[in-house]
Amino acid sequence: MLIQRPKGTKDLLPEDTFKLQYIEEKIKNVLENYGFGEIRVPVFEHTELFQRGVGETTDVVQKEMYTFEDKGGRSITLRPEGTAGAIRAYLENGMANRPSPVKLWYNMAMYRYENVQKGRLREFHQIGVEVVGASSYLADVETILLGKRMFDALGIKNIKINLNSIGCPKCRGEYQKILKEFIGKNLDNYCDTCKSRFEKNPMRILDCKEEKCKKLNIGAPKMIDYLCEECQTHFNNVRSALNAQGVSFEIDSNIVRGLDYYTKTVFEFINGKNGLTVLGGGRYDGLVQELGGTYTPAVGFATGIERLVEMFEEANKDLLQEKTPNLYILSVGNEENKKAIQIAEDLRDNNIYVERDLFERSFKSQMKYADKINAKFLLVIGENELITNKAKIKNMSNGEEIDVILDSKNILNIIK
Ligand code: HAM
């Protein structure tokens, strides 16, 4: 019996990686223009990093982590997200001594034991950014503009940007009291997960997907109405600067985000077609301190690549075709093959994509193959061509034949 890949994972075939590389290249270009440097951190970390960083009461930590004991008895977890690891690396490598803010980006696989469904995998990939050290609303604005520019660069227009502020520990404390009063009246009717969150993290109850809890949450007090003066000013500034740049967004007071480290501004980019969140992020002013550093405010986001690719395909139906060979060199016989190899290698030195036979196939089956792989030009090297050092190059799209001297420079001039 064939062994199948684990549920919630994907294989990427050449036609997939081809698209992915195009997307990654475009995004990398945008990131470089905003001054971000790439970081790569281990795929597994000490479990404690995520418990402390992401938060004990989150779904991610409570239900979704791939945690195991290694042979040395340490508790290890496959990273479910990138921010905790990036900040650990920031602290461990003394990056706090670099000019501030430190702007990092990553493109990494993440692991969450989730209920697999459309757009929800167990191994998925994120491109994320972290701007570490800047407390001003300007960093939030630049981060959101960067996110938007990434989508623009990929020709993706069908997104909605949702924004919220979840305040700071100061105003959130006050708000949580009021929220608890509201939820407390009906607590018995909420699901067990909500009940378990009531004491430690009541805001997460607002994010519950259970229908009965959603109903009970109608009319709940909103964090945005209880922001302290500093958080209110910060949020107003973010909104006004985004408006000034012509960015359309909506305030969605239900965004609480699934990870505990967020403060102040939070945002999500939503796929206008299926409602899935394709990018999520926000400010997280307390995380660096939580992980043992000095108080260092930060903001960032991550976009789910699988969800992004789907939107990209939708928006660019005709744009991407797999790379096809510039030239197929058809040759039969040892001496002919030697010549064909030499010309192929010379052309590849000039960055030309050349295919040739690796099976000692017949003339006819090589012709068929060149056609199948959509070679743009065809060069035939037979006995006659070897003797005269002359050949014909056929333009496969219109059938036109051009005489050439069997020399890579001449060939290059025709097929370039
Ligand atoms: P997150 O909202 O958990 O945030 O994930 C960010 C994005 O990753 C989501 O919007 C979604 O596109 C994608 N994603 C999440 N889970 C899955 C899944 N199971 N399958 C497929 N795609 C998924 C974070 O992870 C934060 N670390 C983002 C951040 C960076 N905040 C500040 N800096």
Side-chain angles (χ1 to χ4, degrees):
M1 212 174 65
L2 286 181
I3 298 170
Q4 295 186 326
R5 60 177 186 265
K7 194 172 165 189
T9 65
K10 267 186 161 180
D11 296 316
L12 292 184
L13 307 183
E15 53 273 30
D16 305 314
T17 52
F18 171 71
K19 268 178 236 158
L20 206 57
Q21 282 163 7
Y22 177 93
I23 291 171
E24 287 169 347
E25 198 51 46
K26 289 269 179 198
I27 290 184
K28 194 169 155 225
N29 190 41
V30 173
L31 288 164
E32 281 172 357
N33 288 340
Y34 281 82
F36 283 78
E38 187 182 355
I39 183 168
R40 296 187 192 185
V41 296
V43 74
F44 59 87
E45 299 268 6
H46 293 292
T47 302
E48 193 191 347
L49 175 72
F50 303 113
Q51 286 168 337
R52 260 163 64 185
V54 173
E56 293 276 14
T57 57
T58 58
D59 272 354
V60 170
V61 169
Q62 281 182 347
K63 303 181 192 163
E64 297 170 0
M65 295 209 299
Y66 279 89
T67 298
F68 58 94
E69 209 170 86
D70 72 6
K71 292 196 189 333
R74 302 168 198 89
S75 180
I76 293 292
T77 294
L78 300 186
R79 62 174 172 238
E81 60 98 53
T83 310
I87 296 302
R88 183 210 40 75
Y90 167 89
L91 289 169
E92 193 166 345
N93 295 287
M95 293 178 93
N97 299 323
R98 298 188 180 192
S100 184
V102 172
K103 298 192 226 173
L104 305 170
W105 74 276
Y106 48 82
N107 178 358
M108 304 191 297
M110 308 291 164
Y111 301 85
R112 295 185 194 176
Y113 192 78
E114 298 225 48
N115 286 327
V116 177
Q117 45 186 277
K118 191 171 161 42
R120 184 160 296 173
L121 296 158
R122 291 183 175 166
E123 182 189 60
F124 60 98
H125 298 77
Q126 288 183 343
I127 291 182
V129 306
E130 315 294 352
V131 181
V132 192
S135 62
S136 165
Y137 76 92
L138 293 169
D140 309 27
V141 172
E142 179 143 302
T143 306
I144 294 169
L145 289 175
L146 159 65
K148 181 166 180 304
R149 192 180 286 274
M150 282 170 26
F151 285 79
D152 288 345
L154 297 171
I156 300 173
K157 296 194 179 71
N158 192 13
I159 47 159
K160 259 183 68 197
I161 301 179
N162 289 343
L163 211 61
N164 192 20
S165 173
I166 55 168
C168 63
K170 203 170 70 185
C171 49
R172 207 182 298 158
E174 273 308 299
Y175 167 69
Q176 282 181 342
K177 270 192 219 150
I178 295 158
L179 182 64
K180 276 168 88 172
E181 267 169 39
F182 175 88
I183 294 171
K185 283 186 261 170
N186 278 317
L187 189 61
D188 286 348
N189 300 324
Y190 277 88
C191 72
D192 287 346
T193 312
C194 283
K195 280 182 197 145
S196 74
R197 286 175 173 162
F198 182 70
E199 280 309 326
K200 277 196 174 155
N201 201 348
M203 276 170 83
R204 302 250 350 111
I205 295 178
L206 296 179
D207 201 30
C208 183
K209 302 285 179 280
E210 292 256 348
E211 280 310 318
K212 63 173 182 180
C213 303
K214 272 195 201 167
K215 270 199 194 129
L216 291 167
N217 284 336
I218 294 172
K222 295 173 177 169
M223 180 71 236
I224 203 170
D225 296 328
Y226 294 88
L227 296 175
C228 64
E229 203 182 325
E230 189 198 322
C231 290
Q232 187 68 61
T233 309
H234 187 100
F235 195 46
N236 288 347
N237 285 336
V238 171
R239 283 151 59 168
S240 140
L242 289 176
N243 278 326
Q245 293 307 314
V247 177
S248 29
F249 60 87
E250 275 176 30
I251 306 297
D252 178 354
S253 55
N254 287 327
I255 303 181
V256 293
R257 308 279 303 127
L259 315 161
D260 271 357
Y261 44 64
Y262 290 108
T263 53
K264 293 186 176 166
T265 320
V266 286
F267 50 89
E268 292 183 345
F269 288 21
I270 311 290
N271 179 336
K273 192 175 166 201
N274 61 17
L276 283 177
T277 306
V278 65
L279 176 153
R283 179 163 278 288
Y284 53 96
D285 289 347
L287 181 62
V288 177
Q289 210 165 21
E290 182 65 44
L291 295 180
T294 53
Y295 173 73
T296 311
V299 56
F301 66 69
T303 179
I305 299 181
E306 288 77 5
R307 296 185 188 185
L308 180 71
V309 168
E310 198 188 315
M311 294 192 80
F312 174 78
E313 284 172 344
E314 192 74 35
N316 299 281
K317 285 209 169 91
D318 316 316
L319 180 75
L320 276 186
Q321 274 163 12
E322 237 185 306
K323 215 172 163 191
T324 54
N326 291 66
L327 180 70
Y328 185 89
I329 306 180
L330 191 160
S331 56
V332 182
N334 286 344
E335 290 313 306
E336 291 81 350
N337 281 334
K338 276 181 199 151
K339 187 75 180 171
I341 293 170
Q342 182 218 316
I343 292 176
E345 288 303 306
D346 284 353
L347 290 171
R348 287 167 183 153
D349 283 346
N350 286 283
N351 202 22
I352 300 287
Y353 173 18
V354 183
E355 285 281 0
R356 48 175 314 280
D357 169 54
L358 303 179
F359 288 86
E360 301 180 56
R361 278 173 171 145
S362 70
F363 185 95
K364 207 170 135 194
S365 63
Q366 285 191 50
M367 280 297 275
K368 267 195 198 153
Y369 181 67
D371 206 39
K372 222 187 248 174
I373 60 173
N374 290 320
K376 293 184 191 101
F377 290 93
L378 176 78
L379 170 70
V380 179
I381 302 180
E383 209 180 336
N384 218 12
E385 282 78 8
L386 269 191
I387 295 164
T388 60
N389 206 34
K390 282 183 194 153
K392 284 188 194 309
I393 289 187
K394 185 173 173 184
N395 181 332
M396 299 290 274
S397 59
N398 59 15
E400 188 192 352
E401 291 194 326
I402 307 146
D403 291 316
V404 279
I405 293 172
L406 261 193
D407 167 278
S408 56
K409 272 201 196 103
N410 287 300
I411 296 169
L412 187 64
N413 281 335
I414 294 169
I415 64 171
K416 232 177 18 184

